[in-house]
Amino acid sequence: MELILASTSPRRRVLLEKMGLLFRVVDSQVDETVAGSPSPSALVELLSARKARAVQALEGEDPLIIAADTVVSLDGMVLGKPSSLKQARQMLQALSGRVHQVYTGLTVLRGGSCLTVHEETRVTFRPLLPEEIEAYLTTGEPMDKAGAYGIQGYGALFVEGICGDYYNVMGLPLCRLGQILRDYGVTGMGVPV
């Protein structure tokens, strides 16, 4: 069975490779604009399903398509990818010394069978000094990540603790994905059931 990752995220690609899966990458190129103000969990589910269906429209019903969308939520407010250094700075200042949630919507789609779920991980940041934030901004790392940080990079220095799936914070909840793929006949390390 052919697997397609409906994402150009290098982190998601690395995580699927970590599972030992063989797959192709197809950019969903969907509009991520959403009407209204859905909850963070509803938002990521909606967007992951939209990405999966867009790729299915391009690739047909035979491949198994994996799509995901990740946001950071602080006090119910969604923090996506920053559009500027100023916005990244503001996000990091807001997260400093606080607990926030990372939500990833995950959709697995093949033919008419579609499952969409979300995973939530609670992350605690230690208090950040202004000069630490400025130094982090110079790395460029915050600019393509929800909430303006990457837990797998320099951003790890800010994380005091997590409750939940570490890989969810990177953008793909591996444990949950592994369970879903098993139901489709695919297990970790690419070994069929």
PDB file of all heavy atoms in Angstrom, residues 33-52:
ATOM      1  N   THR A  33      -7.500  29.217   5.826  1.00  0.00           N
ATOM      2  CA  THR A  33      -8.443  30.167   6.402  1.00  0.00           C
ATOM      3  C   THR A  33      -9.678  29.412   6.872  1.00  0.00           C
ATOM      4  O   THR A  33     -10.214  28.568   6.152  1.00  0.00           O
ATOM      5  CB  THR A  33      -8.857  31.223   5.362  1.00  0.00           C
ATOM      6  OG1 THR A  33      -7.690  31.824   4.818  1.00  0.00           O
ATOM      7  CG2 THR A  33      -9.746  32.282   5.987  1.00  0.00           C
ATOM      8  N   VAL A  34     -10.123  29.733   8.097  1.00  0.00           N
ATOM      9  CA  VAL A  34     -11.290  29.070   8.666  1.00  0.00           C
ATOM     10  C   VAL A  34     -12.255  30.138   9.165  1.00  0.00           C
ATOM     11  O   VAL A  34     -11.849  31.078   9.852  1.00  0.00           O
ATOM     12  CB  VAL A  34     -10.873  28.137   9.833  1.00  0.00           C
ATOM     13  CG1 VAL A  34     -12.088  27.544  10.506  1.00  0.00           C
ATOM     14  CG2 VAL A  34      -9.955  27.043   9.328  1.00  0.00           C
ATOM     15  N   ALA A  35     -13.522  29.978   8.809  1.00  0.00           N
ATOM     16  CA  ALA A  35     -14.544  30.928   9.255  1.00  0.00           C
ATOM     17  C   ALA A  35     -14.861  30.701  10.731  1.00  0.00           C
ATOM     18  O   ALA A  35     -14.768  29.590  11.241  1.00  0.00           O
ATOM     19  CB  ALA A  35     -15.807  30.761   8.417  1.00  0.00           C
ATOM     20  N   GLY A  36     -15.245  31.766  11.403  1.00  0.00           N
ATOM     21  CA  GLY A  36     -15.631  31.650  12.807  1.00  0.00           C
ATOM     22  C   GLY A  36     -14.426  31.509  13.713  1.00  0.00           C
ATOM     23  O   GLY A  36     -13.300  31.825  13.331  1.00  0.00           O
ATOM     24  N   SER A  37     -14.669  31.031  14.901  1.00  0.00           N
ATOM     25  CA  SER A  37     -13.614  30.855  15.894  1.00  0.00           C
ATOM     26  C   SER A  37     -13.705  29.471  16.515  1.00  0.00           C
ATOM     27  O   SER A  37     -14.101  29.327  17.679  1.00  0.00           O
ATOM     28  CB  SER A  37     -13.729  31.920  16.989  1.00  0.00           C
ATOM     29  OG  SER A  37     -13.623  33.204  16.453  1.00  0.00           O
ATOM     30  N   PRO A  38     -13.351  28.432  15.746  1.00  0.00           N
ATOM     31  CA  PRO A  38     -13.431  27.081  16.318  1.00  0.00           C
ATOM     32  C   PRO A  38     -12.416  26.913  17.447  1.00  0.00           C
ATOM     33  O   PRO A  38     -11.427  27.637  17.523  1.00  0.00           O
ATOM     34  CB  PRO A  38     -13.095  26.171  15.134  1.00  0.00           C
ATOM     35  CG  PRO A  38     -12.303  27.028  14.208  1.00  0.00           C
ATOM     36  CD  PRO A  38     -12.810  28.426  14.393  1.00  0.00           C
ATOM     37  N   SER A  39     -12.677  25.961  18.316  1.00  0.00           N
ATOM     38  CA  SER A  39     -11.719  25.645  19.372  1.00  0.00           C
ATOM     39  C   SER A  39     -10.423  25.161  18.727  1.00  0.00           C
ATOM     40  O   SER A  39     -10.425  24.729  17.563  1.00  0.00           O
ATOM     41  CB  SER A  39     -12.285  24.548  20.277  1.00  0.00           C
ATOM     42  OG  SER A  39     -12.370  23.326  19.549  1.00  0.00           O
ATOM     43  N   PRO A  40      -9.302  25.216  19.450  1.00  0.00           N
ATOM     44  CA  PRO A  40      -8.048  24.734  18.868  1.00  0.00           C
ATOM     45  C   PRO A  40      -8.130  23.286  18.383  1.00  0.00           C
ATOM     46  O   PRO A  40      -7.622  22.962  17.310  1.00  0.00           O
ATOM     47  CB  PRO A  40      -7.048  24.888  20.013  1.00  0.00           C
ATOM     48  CG  PRO A  40      -7.598  25.980  20.861  1.00  0.00           C
ATOM     49  CD  PRO A  40      -9.094  25.826  20.774  1.00  0.00           C
ATOM     50  N   SER A  41      -8.803  22.424  19.148  1.00  0.00           N
ATOM     51  CA  SER A  41      -8.908  21.023  18.728  1.00  0.00           C
ATOM     52  C   SER A  41      -9.751  20.881  17.468  1.00  0.00           C
ATOM     53  O   SER A  41      -9.408  20.117  16.560  1.00  0.00           O
ATOM     54  CB  SER A  41      -9.465  20.157  19.859  1.00  0.00           C
ATOM     55  OG  SER A  41     -10.747  20.615  20.259  1.00  0.00           O
ATOM     56  N   ALA A  42     -10.855  21.620  17.385  1.00  0.00           N
ATOM     57  CA  ALA A  42     -11.694  21.568  16.186  1.00  0.00           C
ATOM     58  C   ALA A  42     -10.966  22.151  14.979  1.00  0.00           C
ATOM     59  O   ALA A  42     -11.076  21.630  13.864  1.00  0.00           O
ATOM     60  CB  ALA A  42     -13.004  22.318  16.431  1.00  0.00           C
ATOM     61  N   LEU A  43     -10.193  23.211  15.203  1.00  0.00           N
ATOM     62  CA  LEU A  43      -9.440  23.840  14.117  1.00  0.00           C
ATOM     63  C   LEU A  43      -8.442  22.871  13.493  1.00  0.00           C
ATOM     64  O   LEU A  43      -8.394  22.716  12.268  1.00  0.00           O
ATOM     65  CB  LEU A  43      -8.710  25.077  14.641  1.00  0.00           C
ATOM     66  CG  LEU A  43      -7.775  25.777  13.653  1.00  0.00           C
ATOM     67  CD1 LEU A  43      -8.560  26.373  12.497  1.00  0.00           C
ATOM     68  CD2 LEU A  43      -6.950  26.848  14.367  1.00  0.00           C
ATOM     69  N   VAL A  44      -7.642  22.212  14.314  1.00  0.00           N
ATOM     70  CA  VAL A  44      -6.618  21.317  13.754  1.00  0.00           C
ATOM     71  C   VAL A  44      -7.244  20.091  13.099  1.00  0.00           C
ATOM     72  O   VAL A  44      -6.716  19.583  12.102  1.00  0.00           O
ATOM     73  CB  VAL A  44      -5.555  20.918  14.811  1.00  0.00           C
ATOM     74  CG1 VAL A  44      -4.732  22.126  15.221  1.00  0.00           C
ATOM     75  CG2 VAL A  44      -6.151  20.215  16.014  1.00  0.00           C
ATOM     76  N   GLU A  45      -8.367  19.618  13.615  1.00  0.00           N
ATOM     77  CA  GLU A  45      -9.052  18.496  12.965  1.00  0.00           C
ATOM     78  C   GLU A  45      -9.575  18.919  11.593  1.00  0.00           C
ATOM     79  O   GLU A  45      -9.413  18.196  10.604  1.00  0.00           O
ATOM     80  CB  GLU A  45     -10.193  17.977  13.835  1.00  0.00           C
ATOM     81  CG  GLU A  45      -9.724  17.167  15.027  1.00  0.00           C
ATOM     82  CD  GLU A  45     -10.855  16.475  15.759  1.00  0.00           C
ATOM     83  OE1 GLU A  45     -12.000  16.450  15.248  1.00  0.00           O
ATOM     84  OE2 GLU A  45     -10.591  15.947  16.858  1.00  0.00           O
ATOM     85  N   LEU A  46     -10.189  20.085  11.540  1.00  0.00           N
ATOM     86  CA  LEU A  46     -10.722  20.598  10.281  1.00  0.00           C
ATOM     87  C   LEU A  46      -9.622  20.760   9.238  1.00  0.00           C
ATOM     88  O   LEU A  46      -9.760  20.326   8.086  1.00  0.00           O
ATOM     89  CB  LEU A  46     -11.416  21.938  10.521  1.00  0.00           C
ATOM     90  CG  LEU A  46     -11.932  22.664   9.287  1.00  0.00           C
ATOM     91  CD1 LEU A  46     -13.215  22.010   8.800  1.00  0.00           C
ATOM     92  CD2 LEU A  46     -12.176  24.124   9.595  1.00  0.00           C
ATOM     93  N   LEU A  47      -8.503  21.358   9.637  1.00  0.00           N
ATOM     94  CA  LEU A  47      -7.423  21.604   8.685  1.00  0.00           C
ATOM     95  C   LEU A  47      -6.718  20.325   8.252  1.00  0.00           C
ATOM     96  O   LEU A  47      -6.353  20.183   7.080  1.00  0.00           O
ATOM     97  CB  LEU A  47      -6.432  22.617   9.258  1.00  0.00           C
ATOM     98  CG  LEU A  47      -6.983  24.041   9.382  1.00  0.00           C
ATOM     99  CD1 LEU A  47      -5.967  24.951  10.064  1.00  0.00           C
ATOM    100  CD2 LEU A  47      -7.393  24.599   8.026  1.00  0.00           C
ATOM    101  N   SER A  48      -6.531  19.375   9.164  1.00  0.00           N
ATOM    102  CA  SER A  48      -5.877  18.122   8.755  1.00  0.00           C
ATOM    103  C   SER A  48      -6.765  17.363   7.771  1.00  0.00           C
ATOM    104  O   SER A  48      -6.269  16.812   6.781  1.00  0.00           O
ATOM    105  CB  SER A  48      -5.512  17.260   9.970  1.00  0.00           C
ATOM    106  OG  SER A  48      -6.649  16.712  10.598  1.00  0.00           O
ATOM    107  N   ALA A  49      -8.070  17.355   8.009  1.00  0.00           N
ATOM    108  CA  ALA A  49      -8.984  16.675   7.083  1.00  0.00           C
ATOM    109  C   ALA A  49      -8.996  17.377   5.729  1.00  0.00           C
ATOM    110  O   ALA A  49      -9.014  16.725   4.677  1.00  0.00           O
ATOM    111  CB  ALA A  49     -10.388  16.617   7.683  1.00  0.00           C
ATOM    112  N   ARG A  50      -8.963  18.706   5.747  1.00  0.00           N
ATOM    113  CA  ARG A  50      -8.943  19.472   4.495  1.00  0.00           C
ATOM    114  C   ARG A  50      -7.692  19.133   3.678  1.00  0.00           C
ATOM    115  O   ARG A  50      -7.749  18.952   2.460  1.00  0.00           O
ATOM    116  CB  ARG A  50      -8.979  20.972   4.811  1.00  0.00           C
ATOM    117  CG  ARG A  50      -9.105  21.854   3.595  1.00  0.00           C
ATOM    118  CD  ARG A  50      -9.089  23.325   3.956  1.00  0.00           C
ATOM    119  NE  ARG A  50     -10.287  23.736   4.681  1.00  0.00           N
ATOM    120  CZ  ARG A  50     -10.465  24.947   5.184  1.00  0.00           C
ATOM    121  NH1 ARG A  50      -9.535  25.883   5.035  1.00  0.00           N
ATOM    122  NH2 ARG A  50     -11.578  25.256   5.825  1.00  0.00           N
ATOM    123  N   LYS A  51      -6.554  19.034   4.357  1.00  0.00           N
ATOM    124  CA  LYS A  51      -5.299  18.694   3.671  1.00  0.00           C
ATOM    125  C   LYS A  51      -5.356  17.285   3.077  1.00  0.00           C
ATOM    126  O   LYS A  51      -4.941  17.066   1.927  1.00  0.00           O
ATOM    127  CB  LYS A  51      -4.130  18.788   4.649  1.00  0.00           C
ATOM    128  CG  LYS A  51      -3.804  20.195   5.093  1.00  0.00           C
ATOM    129  CD  LYS A  51      -2.727  20.186   6.181  1.00  0.00           C
ATOM    130  CE  LYS A  51      -2.421  21.584   6.684  1.00  0.00           C
ATOM    131  NZ  LYS A  51      -1.371  21.575   7.725  1.00  0.00           N
ATOM    132  N   ALA A  52      -5.876  16.335   3.844  1.00  0.00           N
ATOM    133  CA  ALA A  52      -5.952  14.951   3.361  1.00  0.00           C
ATOM    134  C   ALA A  52      -6.857  14.847   2.139  1.00  0.00           C
ATOM    135  O   ALA A  52      -6.510  14.202   1.143  1.00  0.00           O
ATOM    136  CB  ALA A  52      -6.447  14.031   4.477  1.00  0.00           C
TER     137      ALA A  52
END
